[in-house]
């Protein structure tokens, strides 16, 4: 088990290092890194100071060393647009994105799994058919359209929900549902097919032969075994909850990273873009390690080898 | 009621019909099966693949695929109660408690994500409401010891993948008997195992059956297994029992041409893993049965009458019945 954890953490470290190389290289690839990393309004003196600080006139490995040292010590440079350290700007917005992503992930997981299990246990019946159609729609209709439909219905027509901003529980509903939509549909389909497979197995039949109640057969014996492919899909979708926020946050004026990314790109704020990419992707890599550890918890065959 | 339960046999299956509805027609998988079984008695069911042995077993405990199958008629009297008329909850209380089933594949029958102990505690919790951890542990360890698992205290913490095939089958057997059932159905319990392990498992089953005075149904392809541990044999062909007799009778005086062919196939089965496929021809498709005897195309003694009319089941000796025009004429 310890070896498993260590190897997963090792892989994560290598991945994050790889991302840092890419982020570093992107700024250098565009020819003059100074043009990207130095604010346009800087005086020639300031310009030279920053070039010296980043080592832009020295060999690439040295530059990378300087870059990596900055990253490790939390120094990502100053945001051009906000005039503050990029990491601070990021840190102010990141919790908002995380909260929305977490709510959306929970909605997607709970909704998708319960709909999928219902479909599998009533396979071929009426609930199953309705669910299959909804799941197909979920995957066919893009999330921004869902967001606009929701807004039209619940804000414009019914006036039940506020259209934008983050102030109170109600404002979470529409962004979270739009963000969860696609993922929920995919999870429902995966849960359904995974459960159908598991329900055919000998151990599920044995559970029935033992005289266990059907609810116990489904949730204890079938569901836990069906969970591995569901979790795999879910872990792939975790990225989507953060990347999807770029669109959703802008539609609902949600003060998070998605909105910040667009602002940073429009104002050519490279230090901020760099920070967002590096920190967000490192975060997602670590999240995936967490999911891998969860597998081990669910399936002893992973844990004990 | 009580007196009836005492005098009636443990299990009496009367004219059982189980059908599968498929796109290509209705399969009469079990087509009028009747037999009785008493406590302490072992009935072997033999027959080629597809003859309806497993479907018969699963019909008794009513665990067939819900959507495709239908028990179309008959009675399954267990201690005088017709299991086919019980509610879902009532039959569930009998499964795993009074009637246990051991199935074919020990490698895949245990849930890979729970410990042996966890899975073995379930029937005790559900059927006998044993709650105390100590008591559960003792009962589980006791049952494992009964089937010859060494150091059972340690095995309860193991996961199925840590056990060999033979050990897993012992665990499944232990799980089947821990609630002290009165009927044990073993559907090819050793087919997937090595020959030496097969013998051990059979010995365990026989021992358990005798110690607990169980009625046992043993489904097998292997007549040598039947010879070793059964009292009676029922030979199935195309969803029906074509011959039923005590073990000595069937080996000394097989009457049905199909049974006779099976006997001839036996010596070639010395490895005892091979299937009974040495009889020329194929078993019929149970979706397309006519009115005559389904064995006709393979039968050396078939007559015009066999083609037209299914033979009645006739008594030809002490507890010996057969369904064949030739054997009874
Ligand atoms: N799920 C099913 N759907 C449709 N038909 C089925 C199904 N299960 C069984 N049958 C039909 O029932 C017949 C008897 O099957 P059964 O499993 O009882 O055979 P068996 O005697 O146990 O064979 P084996 O020795 O291979 O285990 C089969 O020939 C098949 O046509
Ligand atoms: Mg079978």
């Amino acid at each position: 088990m310890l070896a498993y954890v260590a190897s997963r953490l090792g892989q994560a470290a290598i991945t994050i290092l790889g991302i840092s190389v890419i982020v570093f290289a992107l700024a250098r690839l565009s020819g003059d890194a100074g043009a990207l990393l130095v604010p346009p309004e800087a005086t020639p003196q300031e310009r030279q100071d920053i070039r010296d600080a980043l080592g832009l006139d020295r060999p690439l490995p040295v530059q990378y060393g300087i870059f990596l040292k900055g990253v490790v010590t939390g120094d990502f440079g100053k945001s051009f647009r906000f005039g503050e350290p990029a990491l601070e700007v990021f840190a102010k917005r990141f919790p908002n994105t995380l909260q929305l992503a977490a709510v959306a992930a929970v909605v997607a997981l709970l909704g998708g799994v319960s709909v999928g299990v219902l479909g599998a246990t009533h396979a071929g019946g009426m609930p199953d058919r309705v669910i299959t159609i909804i799941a197909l729609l979920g995957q066919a209709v893009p999330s921004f359209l869902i967001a606009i439909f929701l807004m039209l219905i619940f804000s414009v027509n019914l006036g039940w929900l506020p259209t934008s901003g983050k102030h109170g529980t109600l404002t979470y509903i529409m962004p979270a549902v739009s963000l969860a939509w696609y993922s929920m549909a995919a999870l429902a389909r995966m849960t359904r097919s995974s459960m159908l497979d598991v329900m055919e197995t000998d151990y599920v039949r044995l559970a029935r032969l033992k005289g266990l109640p059907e609810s116990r057969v489904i949730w204890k014996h079938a569901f836990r075994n069906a969970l591995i492919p569901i979790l795999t899909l879910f872990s792939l979708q975790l990225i989507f909850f953060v990347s999807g926020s770029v669109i959703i946050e802008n539609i609902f004026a949600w003060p998070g990273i998605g909105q910040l990314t667009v602002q940073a790109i429009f104002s050519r704020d490279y230090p901020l873009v760099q920070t967002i990419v590096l920190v967000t992707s490192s975060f997602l890599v670590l999240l995936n390690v967490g999911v891998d550890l969860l597998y081990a918890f669910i399936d002893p065959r992973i844990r004990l080898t | 009621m009580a007196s009836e339960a005492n005098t009636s046999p443990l299990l009496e299956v009367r004219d059982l019909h189980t059908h599968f509805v498929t796109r290509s027609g209705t399969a009469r998988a079990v087509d009028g099966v009747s037999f009785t079984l008493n406590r302490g008695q072992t009935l072997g069911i033999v027959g080629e693949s597809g003859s309806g042995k497993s479907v018969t077993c699963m019909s008794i405990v009513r665990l067939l695929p819900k959507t495709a199958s239908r028990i179309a008629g008959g009675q399954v009297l267990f201690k005088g109660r017709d299991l086919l008329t019980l509610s879902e909850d009532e039959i569930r209380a009998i499964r795993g408690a009074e009637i246990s089933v051991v199935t074919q594949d020990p490698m895949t029958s245990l849930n890979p994500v729970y410990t042996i102990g966890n899975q073995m505690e379930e029937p005790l919790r559900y059927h006998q409401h044993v709650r105390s951890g100590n008591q559960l542990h003792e009962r589980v360890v006791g049952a494992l010891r009964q089937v010859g698992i060494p150091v059972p205290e340690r095995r309860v913490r193991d996961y199925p993948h840590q056990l060999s095939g033979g050990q897993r089958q012992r665990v499944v057997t232990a799980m089947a008997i821990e609630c002290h059932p009165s009927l044990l159905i073993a559907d090819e319990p050793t087919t997937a195992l090595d020959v030496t392990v097969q013998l051990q498992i059979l010995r365990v089953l026989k021992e358990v059956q005798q110690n607990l005075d169980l009625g046992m149904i043993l489904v097998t392809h292997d007549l040598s297994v039947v010879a070793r541990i059964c009292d009676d044999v029922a030979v199935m062909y195309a969803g029906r029992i074509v011959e039923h007799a005590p073990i000595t009778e069937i080996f000394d005086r097989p009457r049905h041409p199909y049974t006779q062919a099976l006997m001839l196939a036996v010596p070639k089965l010395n490895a005892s893993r091979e299937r009974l496929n040495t009889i020329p021809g194929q078993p019929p498709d149970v979706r397309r049965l006519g009115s005559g005897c389904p064995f006709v195309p393979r039968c050396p003694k078939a007559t015009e009458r066999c083609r037209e009319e299914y033979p009645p089941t006739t008594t030809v000796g002490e507890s010996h019945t057969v369904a064949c025009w030739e054997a009874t004429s």
Side-chain angles (χ1 to χ4, degrees), chain A residues 6-16 285 289 292:
Chain A
S7 89
R8 280 306 121 102
L9 285 175
Q11 284 169 9
I14 291 169
T15 312
I16 292 172
V285 169
V289 174
D292 281 350

Side-chain angles (χ1 to χ4, degrees), chain B residues 70-122:
Chain B
R70 191 164 59 89
I71 295 183
Q75 287 177 308
V76 176
L77 301 171
F78 175 70
K79 296 183 178 171
R81 277 212 293 177
D82 186 358
L83 299 183
L84 302 185
T85 62
L86 297 186
S87 73
E88 205 42 57
D89 283 339
E90 287 169 324
I91 185 79
R92 192 178 298 132
I94 289 178
R95 279 182 211 139
E98 294 193 71
I99 303 180
S100 284
V101 183
V102 175
T103 51
Q104 183 177 344
D105 213 333
M107 300 316 267
T108 52
S109 286
L110 292 168
N111 196 325
V113 303
Y114 297 104
T115 59
I116 302 301
N118 178 325
Q119 298 183 57
M120 286 199 56
E121 283 169 10
E122 280 184 309

